[in-house]
Amino acid sequence: MPLLQSPGGQSPDPGPEPQAARGTPKGTGGRTRVSISRRAGRRGPRRFTRRDLAVLGVLLGIPILLDVFIVWGPTLASIALSFTSWDGIGDIRWVGTQNYENLFTNYPQFWPAARHNLLWLAFLGLVATPFGLLLAVLIDRGVRFSRFYQSTLYMPVVLSLAVVGFIAQLIFSRDQGALNAILGDTEKPTDWLGDPDLNIWMILLAAAWRHTGYVMILYLAGLKAVDASLKEAAAIDGASEAQTFFRVVFPTLRPVNVIVGVITVIEALRAFDIVYAVNKGRNGLELLSVLVTDNIIGEASRIGFGSAIAVVLLLVSMGFVVTYLVQEIRGEKNR
């Protein structure tokens, strides 16, 4: 039967399409319902396949095992050996707290080494770290040749402390050192590294030279992340540059302060190679790390006694780090 046509030869208007038909393209209604049902089925917790578990085991298991065997394993072994007497060859004999009693009462090198470690911490924390912050602020203000200054000041960081110790010998040596040559002191040259009243300060200057560049880069990265609108608002309120820095900029650097503080404590307490390269950590350069090495791998081979010194160094370092972190976390919560 032919279709009815309207006048003029046109077919009559079939009327508006149903709402569902207009909302879904032709031929796609079934696929849409299938995709919706699939997404609905995926809303539950995703189960890991065997391959996922294997990848997680490799990516997480290997670093954890390395951390346990390289860091925590020797740490726990040192704590256990500190209560024993062992030369590394014979039988291990339990002595209790005898090693600690001898350390605090009958070992004259211990207290000078502990004082030197605290002096390192004070010098790096009160001199080198503020100086690195000052350099970061000056470079952040956009001085000329800032890229050159950054590279030059950061260059000592890539050197190990042993290499810094060799450089210190070239500068502060009594007979052929650059410092005595510049001062023109040839008749009675100053023994910068041989005098126990001077050598500790010369080595601290060399260590601070390296530490300052590290602190500068950390603070410079933090200063670049400070919102410029905070400085502009402080300037509008009439604050000076010093007030803007100490009351606006410096409080925003709290995360960087935590990192710098922990790094400073670690650098001060683990110092070893620079003094060992100069004079094997003797004659005024005694440190706890040097005493640990001398007792464990030295001629005496007193592994238990050296482990006791290592445990004391561990407790001192953990005390500083934990106390600093707790204070920073409390300050962050109070803000």
Short mmCIF file of all heavy atoms in Angstrom, two decimals, residues 258-316:
data_model
loop_
_atom_site.label_atom_id
_atom_site.label_comp_id
_atom_site.label_asym_id
_atom_site.label_seq_id
_atom_site.Cartn_x
_atom_site.Cartn_y
_atom_site.Cartn_z
N VAL A 258 63.47 21.59 58.45
CA VAL A 258 63.55 20.23 59.00
C VAL A 258 64.62 19.43 58.28
O VAL A 258 65.46 18.75 58.90
CB VAL A 258 62.17 19.54 58.89
CG1 VAL A 258 62.28 18.08 59.31
CG2 VAL A 258 61.15 20.26 59.75
N ILE A 259 64.62 19.51 56.96
CA ILE A 259 65.60 18.76 56.17
C ILE A 259 67.01 19.24 56.49
O ILE A 259 67.94 18.43 56.70
CB ILE A 259 65.29 18.90 54.67
CG1 ILE A 259 63.93 18.27 54.35
CG2 ILE A 259 66.38 18.25 53.84
CD1 ILE A 259 63.48 18.49 52.93
N VAL A 260 67.21 20.54 56.52
CA VAL A 260 68.54 21.09 56.79
C VAL A 260 69.00 20.72 58.19
O VAL A 260 70.17 20.38 58.41
CB VAL A 260 68.53 22.62 56.59
CG1 VAL A 260 69.83 23.24 57.07
CG2 VAL A 260 68.31 22.96 55.12
N GLY A 261 68.10 20.78 59.17
CA GLY A 261 68.48 20.42 60.53
C GLY A 261 68.91 18.98 60.66
O GLY A 261 69.93 18.68 61.30
N VAL A 262 68.17 18.08 60.04
CA VAL A 262 68.54 16.66 60.11
C VAL A 262 69.85 16.41 59.40
O VAL A 262 70.72 15.67 59.89
CB VAL A 262 67.40 15.81 59.50
CG1 VAL A 262 67.83 14.35 59.39
CG2 VAL A 262 66.14 15.91 60.35
N ILE A 263 70.03 17.01 58.24
CA ILE A 263 71.28 16.82 57.49
C ILE A 263 72.46 17.37 58.27
O ILE A 263 73.55 16.77 58.30
CB ILE A 263 71.16 17.49 56.11
CG1 ILE A 263 70.19 16.72 55.23
CG2 ILE A 263 72.53 17.58 55.43
CD1 ILE A 263 69.93 17.36 53.89
N THR A 264 72.29 18.50 58.94
CA THR A 264 73.38 19.09 59.72
C THR A 264 73.79 18.18 60.87
O THR A 264 74.98 17.97 61.12
CB THR A 264 72.96 20.47 60.27
OG1 THR A 264 72.61 21.32 59.16
CG2 THR A 264 74.07 21.10 61.06
N VAL A 265 72.81 17.61 61.56
CA VAL A 265 73.12 16.69 62.66
C VAL A 265 73.85 15.46 62.14
O VAL A 265 74.86 15.00 62.73
CB VAL A 265 71.83 16.30 63.40
CG1 VAL A 265 72.11 15.20 64.42
CG2 VAL A 265 71.24 17.50 64.09
N ILE A 266 73.38 14.91 61.04
CA ILE A 266 74.00 13.71 60.49
C ILE A 266 75.42 14.01 60.03
O ILE A 266 76.36 13.23 60.29
CB ILE A 266 73.15 13.16 59.33
CG1 ILE A 266 71.81 12.65 59.87
CG2 ILE A 266 73.88 12.04 58.61
CD1 ILE A 266 70.85 12.21 58.79
N GLU A 267 75.62 15.14 59.35
CA GLU A 267 76.95 15.48 58.87
C GLU A 267 77.92 15.70 60.03
O GLU A 267 79.10 15.34 59.94
CB GLU A 267 76.88 16.74 58.01
CG GLU A 267 76.26 16.54 56.64
CD GLU A 267 77.16 15.73 55.72
OE1 GLU A 267 78.38 15.84 55.84
OE2 GLU A 267 76.62 14.97 54.91
N ALA A 268 77.44 16.27 61.12
CA ALA A 268 78.33 16.56 62.24
C ALA A 268 78.71 15.30 63.00
O ALA A 268 79.85 15.18 63.47
CB ALA A 268 77.65 17.55 63.19
N LEU A 269 77.80 14.35 63.12
CA LEU A 269 78.07 13.17 63.94
C LEU A 269 78.70 12.03 63.15
O LEU A 269 79.30 11.14 63.75
CB LEU A 269 76.76 12.70 64.59
CG LEU A 269 76.13 13.69 65.57
CD1 LEU A 269 74.84 13.11 66.16
CD2 LEU A 269 77.09 14.05 66.69
N ARG A 270 78.57 12.03 61.84
CA ARG A 270 79.18 10.95 61.08
C ARG A 270 80.51 11.35 60.45
O ARG A 270 81.08 10.60 59.66
CB ARG A 270 78.23 10.49 59.97
CG ARG A 270 78.14 11.44 58.78
CD ARG A 270 77.27 10.89 57.70
NE ARG A 270 77.22 11.75 56.53
CZ ARG A 270 78.05 11.65 55.49
NH1 ARG A 270 78.99 10.73 55.49
NH2 ARG A 270 77.94 12.48 54.47
N ALA A 271 81.01 12.52 60.77
CA ALA A 271 82.28 12.99 60.20
C ALA A 271 83.39 12.00 60.54
O ALA A 271 83.59 11.63 61.70
CB ALA A 271 82.61 14.37 60.75
N PHE A 272 84.12 11.58 59.53
CA PHE A 272 85.18 10.61 59.73
C PHE A 272 86.31 10.79 58.73
O PHE A 272 87.48 10.94 59.10
CB PHE A 272 84.61 9.18 59.63
CG PHE A 272 85.67 8.12 59.49
CD1 PHE A 272 86.37 7.70 60.61
CD2 PHE A 272 85.96 7.55 58.27
CE1 PHE A 272 87.36 6.72 60.49
CE2 PHE A 272 86.93 6.59 58.14
CZ PHE A 272 87.63 6.17 59.25
N ASP A 273 85.97 10.76 57.45
CA ASP A 273 86.99 10.65 56.41
C ASP A 273 87.89 11.86 56.32
O ASP A 273 89.08 11.73 56.01
CB ASP A 273 86.35 10.35 55.04
CG ASP A 273 85.02 11.04 54.88
OD1 ASP A 273 84.69 11.87 55.72
OD2 ASP A 273 84.31 10.72 53.91
N ILE A 274 87.37 13.06 56.62
CA ILE A 274 88.21 14.24 56.48
C ILE A 274 89.32 14.26 57.53
O ILE A 274 90.47 14.56 57.23
CB ILE A 274 87.35 15.53 56.54
CG1 ILE A 274 88.21 16.75 56.31
CG2 ILE A 274 86.58 15.61 57.84
CD1 ILE A 274 87.41 18.03 56.16
N VAL A 275 88.99 13.91 58.79
CA VAL A 275 90.02 13.90 59.83
C VAL A 275 90.94 12.69 59.66
O VAL A 275 92.13 12.75 59.99
CB VAL A 275 89.39 13.92 61.23
CG1 VAL A 275 88.59 15.19 61.44
CG2 VAL A 275 88.50 12.70 61.46
N TYR A 276 90.42 11.60 59.16
CA TYR A 276 91.25 10.42 58.96
C TYR A 276 92.23 10.64 57.82
O TYR A 276 93.34 10.10 57.82
CB TYR A 276 90.39 9.19 58.65
CG TYR A 276 91.03 7.89 59.04
CD1 TYR A 276 90.99 7.45 60.37
CD2 TYR A 276 91.66 7.08 58.10
CE1 TYR A 276 91.57 6.25 60.74
CE2 TYR A 276 92.25 5.89 58.47
CZ TYR A 276 92.21 5.48 59.79
OH TYR A 276 92.79 4.30 60.15
N ALA A 277 91.85 11.45 56.83
CA ALA A 277 92.76 11.75 55.73
C ALA A 277 93.85 12.70 56.16
O ALA A 277 94.95 12.69 55.58
CB ALA A 277 91.98 12.34 54.56
N VAL A 278 93.60 13.53 57.18
CA VAL A 278 94.59 14.51 57.61
C VAL A 278 95.63 13.87 58.53
O VAL A 278 96.84 13.91 58.27
CB VAL A 278 93.89 15.70 58.30
CG1 VAL A 278 94.92 16.65 58.91
CG2 VAL A 278 93.04 16.45 57.29
N ASN A 279 95.18 13.28 59.64
CA ASN A 279 96.15 12.68 60.58
C ASN A 279 95.56 11.48 61.31
O ASN A 279 95.90 11.22 62.47
CB ASN A 279 96.64 13.72 61.60
CG ASN A 279 95.51 14.23 62.48
OD1 ASN A 279 94.35 13.88 62.29
ND2 ASN A 279 95.85 15.05 63.46
N LYS A 280 94.65 10.75 60.63
CA LYS A 280 94.03 9.55 61.19
C LYS A 280 93.25 9.85 62.47
O LYS A 280 93.09 8.99 63.34
CB LYS A 280 95.07 8.45 61.45
CG LYS A 280 95.76 7.97 60.19
CD LYS A 280 96.65 6.78 60.47
CE LYS A 280 97.35 6.32 59.19
NZ LYS A 280 96.37 5.92 58.14
N GLY A 281 92.78 11.08 62.60
CA GLY A 281 91.93 11.43 63.73
C GLY A 281 92.65 11.48 65.06
O GLY A 281 92.06 11.13 66.09
N ARG A 282 93.86 11.94 65.07
CA ARG A 282 94.62 12.02 66.32
C ARG A 282 95.10 13.45 66.54
O ARG A 282 94.90 14.32 65.70
CB ARG A 282 95.81 11.06 66.29
CG ARG A 282 95.43 9.58 66.16
CD ARG A 282 96.67 8.68 66.23
NE ARG A 282 96.32 7.27 66.20
CZ ARG A 282 96.22 6.54 65.11
NH1 ARG A 282 96.45 7.10 63.93
NH2 ARG A 282 95.89 5.27 65.17
N ASN A 283 95.72 13.69 67.69
CA ASN A 283 96.36 14.96 68.01
C ASN A 283 95.40 16.14 67.87
O ASN A 283 95.66 17.13 67.18
CB ASN A 283 97.58 15.19 67.09
CG ASN A 283 98.44 16.35 67.55
OD1 ASN A 283 98.47 16.67 68.73
ND2 ASN A 283 99.13 16.99 66.62
N GLY A 284 94.24 16.02 68.54
CA GLY A 284 93.28 17.11 68.54
C GLY A 284 92.14 16.95 67.58
O GLY A 284 91.22 17.77 67.58
N LEU A 285 92.13 15.91 66.76
CA LEU A 285 91.05 15.68 65.80
C LEU A 285 90.28 14.41 66.10
O LEU A 285 89.70 13.80 65.21
CB LEU A 285 91.61 15.61 64.37
CG LEU A 285 92.26 16.89 63.83
CD1 LEU A 285 92.75 16.67 62.41
CD2 LEU A 285 91.29 18.06 63.89
N GLU A 286 90.25 14.01 67.37
CA GLU A 286 89.55 12.79 67.74
C GLU A 286 88.04 12.96 67.55
O GLU A 286 87.46 13.99 67.89
CB GLU A 286 89.83 12.42 69.20
CG GLU A 286 91.27 12.05 69.49
CD GLU A 286 92.14 13.26 69.77
OE1 GLU A 286 91.59 14.40 69.70
OE2 GLU A 286 93.33 13.10 70.03
N LEU A 287 87.41 11.93 66.99
CA LEU A 287 85.97 11.88 66.82
C LEU A 287 85.48 10.49 67.20
O LEU A 287 86.25 9.52 67.17
CB LEU A 287 85.57 12.20 65.38
CG LEU A 287 85.84 13.62 64.87
CD1 LEU A 287 85.52 13.71 63.39
CD2 LEU A 287 85.02 14.64 65.65
N LEU A 288 84.21 10.38 67.54
CA LEU A 288 83.67 9.09 67.95
C LEU A 288 83.74 8.07 66.82
O LEU A 288 83.99 6.89 67.06
CB LEU A 288 82.21 9.26 68.41
CG LEU A 288 82.00 10.05 69.71
CD1 LEU A 288 80.51 10.19 69.99
CD2 LEU A 288 82.70 9.39 70.87
N SER A 289 83.52 8.51 65.60
CA SER A 289 83.59 7.58 64.48
C SER A 289 85.00 7.02 64.30
O SER A 289 85.17 5.86 63.92
CB SER A 289 83.14 8.28 63.20
OG SER A 289 83.92 9.44 62.96
N VAL A 290 86.01 7.84 64.57
CA VAL A 290 87.39 7.37 64.47
C VAL A 290 87.68 6.35 65.57
O VAL A 290 88.35 5.34 65.34
CB VAL A 290 88.37 8.55 64.56
CG1 VAL A 290 89.81 8.07 64.55
CG2 VAL A 290 88.13 9.52 63.41
N LEU A 291 87.16 6.58 66.77
CA LEU A 291 87.35 5.61 67.85
C LEU A 291 86.70 4.28 67.53
O LEU A 291 87.23 3.21 67.87
CB LEU A 291 86.79 6.18 69.15
CG LEU A 291 87.42 7.48 69.67
CD1 LEU A 291 86.80 7.86 71.01
CD2 LEU A 291 88.93 7.34 69.78
N VAL A 292 85.54 4.31 66.89
CA VAL A 292 84.88 3.06 66.49
C VAL A 292 85.77 2.29 65.52
O VAL A 292 85.98 1.07 65.67
CB VAL A 292 83.51 3.38 65.85
CG1 VAL A 292 82.90 2.11 65.27
CG2 VAL A 292 82.57 3.99 66.87
N THR A 293 86.32 2.97 64.54
CA THR A 293 87.17 2.31 63.55
C THR A 293 88.44 1.78 64.18
O THR A 293 88.87 0.65 63.90
CB THR A 293 87.51 3.28 62.42
OG1 THR A 293 86.30 3.79 61.85
CG2 THR A 293 88.32 2.60 61.33
N ASP A 294 89.07 2.57 65.04
CA ASP A 294 90.32 2.13 65.67
C ASP A 294 90.13 0.90 66.53
O ASP A 294 91.03 0.04 66.61
CB ASP A 294 90.91 3.27 66.51
CG ASP A 294 91.44 4.40 65.65
OD1 ASP A 294 91.68 4.17 64.45
OD2 ASP A 294 91.60 5.53 66.18
N ASN A 295 89.00 0.76 67.17
CA ASN A 295 88.78 -0.38 68.06
C ASN A 295 88.29 -1.63 67.33
O ASN A 295 88.58 -2.74 67.75
CB ASN A 295 87.77 -0.01 69.16
CG ASN A 295 88.38 0.84 70.25
OD1 ASN A 295 89.00 0.33 71.18
ND2 ASN A 295 88.23 2.15 70.13
N ILE A 296 87.58 -1.44 66.25
CA ILE A 296 87.02 -2.60 65.56
C ILE A 296 88.02 -3.20 64.57
O ILE A 296 88.24 -4.42 64.55
CB ILE A 296 85.70 -2.22 64.84
CG1 ILE A 296 84.62 -1.95 65.88
CG2 ILE A 296 85.25 -3.32 63.90
CD1 ILE A 296 83.28 -1.57 65.29
N ILE A 297 88.65 -2.35 63.75
CA ILE A 297 89.56 -2.89 62.72
C ILE A 297 91.02 -2.56 63.03
O ILE A 297 91.89 -2.79 62.20
CB ILE A 297 89.19 -2.35 61.33
CG1 ILE A 297 89.40 -0.83 61.27
CG2 ILE A 297 87.77 -2.72 60.97
CD1 ILE A 297 89.18 -0.25 59.88
N GLY A 298 91.28 -2.02 64.21
CA GLY A 298 92.66 -1.70 64.57
C GLY A 298 93.40 -2.93 65.08
O GLY A 298 92.96 -4.09 64.96
N GLU A 299 94.55 -2.69 65.66
CA GLU A 299 95.37 -3.79 66.16
C GLU A 299 94.71 -4.50 67.34
O GLU A 299 94.89 -5.69 67.52
CB GLU A 299 96.75 -3.26 66.57
CG GLU A 299 97.55 -2.67 65.42
CD GLU A 299 98.89 -2.14 65.88
OE1 GLU A 299 99.15 -2.19 67.10
OE2 GLU A 299 99.67 -1.67 65.02
N ALA A 300 93.94 -3.76 68.14
CA ALA A 300 93.33 -4.38 69.31
C ALA A 300 92.19 -5.32 68.94
O ALA A 300 91.98 -6.34 69.60
CB ALA A 300 92.80 -3.29 70.25
N SER A 301 91.44 -5.00 67.88
CA SER A 301 90.30 -5.82 67.44
C SER A 301 89.30 -6.04 68.57
O SER A 301 88.84 -7.15 68.82
CB SER A 301 90.78 -7.16 66.87
OG SER A 301 91.54 -6.96 65.71
N ARG A 302 88.98 -4.98 69.26
CA ARG A 302 87.99 -5.06 70.34
C ARG A 302 86.63 -4.72 69.74
O ARG A 302 86.16 -3.59 69.84
CB ARG A 302 88.36 -4.13 71.49
CG ARG A 302 89.68 -4.48 72.15
CD ARG A 302 89.90 -3.66 73.41
NE ARG A 302 89.98 -2.23 73.13
CZ ARG A 302 90.08 -1.31 74.10
NH1 ARG A 302 90.08 -1.68 75.38
NH2 ARG A 302 90.15 -0.03 73.78
N ILE A 303 86.01 -5.70 69.13
CA ILE A 303 84.77 -5.46 68.42
C ILE A 303 83.65 -5.10 69.39
O ILE A 303 82.81 -4.23 69.10
CB ILE A 303 84.41 -6.69 67.57
CG1 ILE A 303 85.48 -6.90 66.48
CG2 ILE A 303 83.03 -6.55 66.94
CD1 ILE A 303 85.24 -8.08 65.60
N GLY A 304 83.60 -5.75 70.53
CA GLY A 304 82.56 -5.42 71.50
C GLY A 304 82.69 -4.01 72.03
O GLY A 304 81.70 -3.28 72.14
N PHE A 305 83.91 -3.59 72.34
CA PHE A 305 84.14 -2.24 72.85
C PHE A 305 83.86 -1.20 71.77
O PHE A 305 83.24 -0.16 72.03
CB PHE A 305 85.57 -2.12 73.35
CG PHE A 305 85.85 -0.86 74.11
CD1 PHE A 305 85.41 -0.68 75.40
CD2 PHE A 305 86.57 0.18 73.51
CE1 PHE A 305 85.66 0.48 76.10
CE2 PHE A 305 86.82 1.36 74.20
CZ PHE A 305 86.37 1.51 75.49
N GLY A 306 84.30 -1.46 70.53
CA GLY A 306 84.00 -0.54 69.44
C GLY A 306 82.52 -0.45 69.15
O GLY A 306 82.00 0.63 68.81
N SER A 307 81.79 -1.56 69.31
CA SER A 307 80.34 -1.54 69.12
C SER A 307 79.67 -0.69 70.19
O SER A 307 78.66 -0.02 69.91
CB SER A 307 79.79 -2.96 69.15
OG SER A 307 80.33 -3.74 68.10
N ALA A 308 80.21 -0.69 71.40
CA ALA A 308 79.65 0.16 72.45
C ALA A 308 79.79 1.63 72.09
O ALA A 308 78.86 2.43 72.30
CB ALA A 308 80.34 -0.14 73.78
N ILE A 309 80.93 2.02 71.54
CA ILE A 309 81.10 3.41 71.09
C ILE A 309 80.12 3.73 69.96
O ILE A 309 79.53 4.82 69.92
CB ILE A 309 82.54 3.65 70.65
CG1 ILE A 309 83.52 3.31 71.76
CG2 ILE A 309 82.74 5.10 70.22
CD1 ILE A 309 84.98 3.41 71.37
N ALA A 310 79.93 2.77 69.04
CA ALA A 310 78.98 2.99 67.95
C ALA A 310 77.56 3.15 68.46
O ALA A 310 76.78 3.97 67.94
CB ALA A 310 79.06 1.83 66.97
N VAL A 311 77.19 2.42 69.49
CA VAL A 311 75.84 2.54 70.06
C VAL A 311 75.67 3.91 70.71
O VAL A 311 74.61 4.54 70.59
CB VAL A 311 75.59 1.41 71.06
CG1 VAL A 311 74.28 1.64 71.83
CG2 VAL A 311 75.52 0.07 70.35
N VAL A 312 76.69 4.40 71.40
CA VAL A 312 76.62 5.73 71.99
C VAL A 312 76.44 6.79 70.89
O VAL A 312 75.61 7.70 71.02
CB VAL A 312 77.88 6.02 72.83
CG1 VAL A 312 77.91 7.48 73.28
CG2 VAL A 312 77.94 5.10 74.03
N LEU A 313 77.18 6.66 69.81
CA LEU A 313 77.04 7.59 68.70
C LEU A 313 75.65 7.51 68.09
O LEU A 313 75.06 8.54 67.72
CB LEU A 313 78.11 7.29 67.64
CG LEU A 313 78.15 8.20 66.42
CD1 LEU A 313 78.39 9.65 66.82
CD2 LEU A 313 79.25 7.74 65.46
N LEU A 314 75.11 6.30 67.99
CA LEU A 314 73.75 6.13 67.46
C LEU A 314 72.72 6.80 68.36
O LEU A 314 71.82 7.50 67.87
CB LEU A 314 73.44 4.64 67.32
CG LEU A 314 72.00 4.27 66.93
CD1 LEU A 314 71.69 4.77 65.52
CD2 LEU A 314 71.79 2.77 67.02
N LEU A 315 72.85 6.63 69.66
CA LEU A 315 71.89 7.23 70.58
C LEU A 315 71.97 8.75 70.55
O LEU A 315 70.92 9.43 70.60
CB LEU A 315 72.15 6.71 72.00
CG LEU A 315 71.87 5.22 72.24
CD1 LEU A 315 72.23 4.83 73.66
CD2 LEU A 315 70.42 4.87 71.95
N VAL A 316 73.16 9.29 70.47
CA VAL A 316 73.31 10.74 70.42
C VAL A 316 72.67 11.30 69.15
O VAL A 316 71.91 12.28 69.19
CB VAL A 316 74.79 11.13 70.51
CG1 VAL A 316 74.96 12.63 70.27
CG2 VAL A 316 75.36 10.76 71.88
#
